[in-house]
Amino acid sequence: MLPNKNTHRTSIPVELQDMKRSELGEKFAELHRQLQETKKSMLVIVDGWEASGKGFLLKDLTRELDPKHYEVAAFDESTLEDEQHPYLRRFFMRSPKRGQIVFFDRSFYYDLFHQLDMEEKTLNHILDDISFVEEALAHDDTIVVKFFIHHSKDEMADRIETLKEDPYRKVLVTKQDKDQLKNYKAYRKHFTEILEKTNFEETPWHILHVDDQKDQSRMALKTCIDCLEDWLSRDLTRPQLDLDFIGNSPDIVGQVDHSPIISKKDYDDIKEDLQEQAANLLFRAYQENKGVIVAYEGSDAAGKGGNYQRLTRLMDPRGYDVATVAAPNDEELNHHYLWRFYRDFPSLGRMTIFDRTWYGRVLVERIENLTPVYRWQEAYEEINQMEHNITDQDYLLLKYLIIIDKDTQYDRFMGREKDPDKQYKITDEDWRNRDKFDIYNTAMNEMVAATSTKEAPWKVISGVDKRHARITVLKDFIKRMEAFLDD
């Protein structure tokens, strides 16, 4: 994919040579202003060889833009802090808001490009991550434009020598510059392989190998202009998907056995021992630097909150967090729907419990028509890929779906209304949702059918008897944690 060593730098078209970079920048800025009036966004990735002029290009790309509506995020090698979180987190957190352009100086490609000896498993994992994030952003109306700046070995040597001779810029010459120059052939082969594997149809690479840096900027600006102009003109709505599980999933929720009951005596006899085991296992996860994510979904008034309160009863509160998921605020709505969950995922050695989750995309957002049909349909695969990526990074993901029947829900709603200490738990929205009880059950059935995977299976539990549900979760937590930590 990269030009061979005998390929001369290309000349840009004559009509482009005659254009001032500022003129192109102003055209880009005009399109940027149009972008701000839409729900679309743009991510520009600038990568390439060390000492290839990425900084020069970024200056020209941004010079005419309104600084209030663009950001530049610079990424280097992952720090120890970065490595304590899911790989994509630091990139997802800097992804563009609606109406915004974000420039990545390097990106999620950094580790991939700069490690010649990366293990194949790690390589494939990062490739999966990158494929997922680029497709997810594109599906969320973000255009991703990727530049790779190429230069020959002789050009790189000259560039490094020029930097060394500049008293103010010689600090820019790093070990990586010298290593790439020394091992140019190996890096060139490695870059070519990575570029070919990540030259996706929706997010292709643009290789910059032109006569000089100013022309390089002209070419990149013209590419950004053409891509953004096309993106703004497009109707990005997509047809509905033909998903075989929609309308054709087994009635797992409707067939939950609600008969199991645990007496108060039996509950009290076993509860504390199980809670102590759970607490010890969380501490062991801390010692072994493993992360734990617990996701709760289910019927309204099924007892999710009381369930995880019993799960964490004897745990050290410094080792876990609870993320209560409500309707997204304006900042969250301006990002991809998974953005706020990446923000709240725990670092390794910790646990986060989610009271409601990313599955709201295929439950409440679907049922209340809060997102287009094609977007919630695409979410099943996006969620599966996200969970796959996370569980491949020393995280255990436990998903509990706690179900009650309609009569039990009615009794609990009425009980909350009559009890002054519990009235805060019942809202008009709860009663409105109750009218859609069967619709929600159908959506949950389809959710389980589409997203109960080997790495992250759903545990469907009856919540009619709260003591039974609490003991079931405690036992499952212990069983899954032991298997995870002993693996």
Side-chain angles (χ1 to χ4, degrees), residues 4 138 240-241 264 269 312 368 406:
N4 64 47
Q240 296 183 25
L241 302 176
K264 186 176 186 306
D269 285 345
T312 61
E368 301 299 332
K406 206 168 184 178

Side-chain angles (χ1 to χ4, degrees), residues 162-172:
T162 300
L163 289 172
K164 283 181 178 179
E165 292 172 359
D166 186 328
Y168 298 106
R169 300 170 68 81
K170 62 184 180 181
V171 296
L172 298 177

Side-chain angles (χ1 to χ4, degrees), residues 179-244:
D179 185 56
Q180 284 190 7
L181 181 60
K182 180 181 178 180
N183 300 288
Y184 183 90
K185 186 175 180 180
Y187 272 105
R188 189 187 181 287
K189 180 176 182 291
H190 178 65
F191 289 163
T192 299
E193 290 174 353
I194 299 303
L195 290 168
E196 288 176 350
K197 288 179 178 179
T198 57
N199 192 41
F200 307 120
E201 183 178 354
E202 287 185 283
T203 55
W205 281 103
H206 301 273
I207 309 299
L208 297 176
H209 188 237
V210 296
D211 283 331
D212 65 28
Q213 286 189 321
K214 292 179 181 179
D215 280 352
Q216 182 172 273
S217 293
R218 289 184 178 95
M219 178 66 80
L221 279 163
K222 183 67 165 61
T223 300
C224 286
I225 289 166
D226 290 345
C227 290
L228 184 53
E229 204 163 38
D230 175 67
W231 196 248
L232 289 169
S233 69
R234 279 199 212 178
D235 176 2
L236 298 179
T237 57
R238 296 181 287 281
Q240 296 183 25
L241 302 176
D242 183 18
L243 302 175
D244 56 9

